[in-house]
Amino acid sequence: DETVFNANDAQGTTWVDPEGRGAIRPKGKGRGLMISDYIEEFGGYLRLTQQQLEDARREFISFPREARDMLEFQRDGYWDNERFIRSVRKAVRIAEYKYPSDQYDLVWIFDHSSGHQDYSEDALVASRMNVKPGGKQPKMHPGRLTDGTPQSMVFMDGTPKGLDI
């Protein structure tokens, strides 16, 4: 989930001196900070313990400890699909390390934010496909059939498959 904080939030009250003079309050919201994080059903925020992090870094040179992302609006731009995809990939990497697939089935639930309505360029989206192979359509990442069998979305020569295949 995500939340936004601004430097001048909660400006509804102010301290005044005995004569009733108060500080001049800023008119704008001030600098903004967006924090996005992932919450586990039982463990709170998605992060590794210190021991899990040390074990992960012995196996992988670089490994994130937590899934949280922070973004300062004026300095870092805005939360967009590219940032969302990077954030999800980081969270999935942590969750898959913490909860191995041979022992757990991970379920991801996202709220309805405009940032969640976009797809990565290689996402499996039928409306982006042609009926016939080739043509102007993206090369999509492999999918899986209902029985779990991998399904390539491109031919061996790299040509994207169509809906008819």
Side-chain angles (χ1 to χ4, degrees), residues 22-93:
I24 297 175
R25 292 188 279 173
K27 292 181 181 178
K29 290 181 176 183
R31 294 171 70 169
L33 182 67
M34 179 178 184
I35 300 174
S36 176
D37 211 340
Y38 296 81
I39 302 170
E40 302 178 50
E41 182 178 3
F42 302 110
Y45 293 107
L46 179 59
R47 59 186 39 90
L48 300 178
T49 65
Q50 187 60 37
Q51 185 61 54
Q52 289 170 327
L53 181 62
E54 290 169 11
D55 292 345
R57 288 187 175 163
R58 275 193 288 277
E59 189 175 343
F60 308 98
I61 293 172
S62 173
F63 204 90
R65 177 175 188 167
E66 62 186 12
R68 176 181 298 149
D69 284 311
M70 289 190 282
L71 168 78
E72 187 177 324
F73 296 161
Q74 290 82 355
R75 187 187 69 197
D76 301 328
Y78 290 91
W79 191 255
D80 56 14
N81 186 55
E82 185 179 314
R83 288 180 194 272
F84 176 67
I85 297 293
R86 276 196 318 258
S87 173
V88 169
R89 286 185 174 147
K90 181 169 74 166
V92 167
R93 188 171 180 210

Side-chain angles (χ1 to χ4, degrees), residues 104-124:
Y104 298 93
D105 291 321
L106 298 176
V107 176
W108 299 87
I109 300 172
F110 297 94
D111 62 8
H112 186 70
S113 164
S114 60
H116 307 157
Q117 293 178 7
D118 209 349
Y119 300 97
S120 63
E121 289 185 25
D122 68 344
L124 298 173

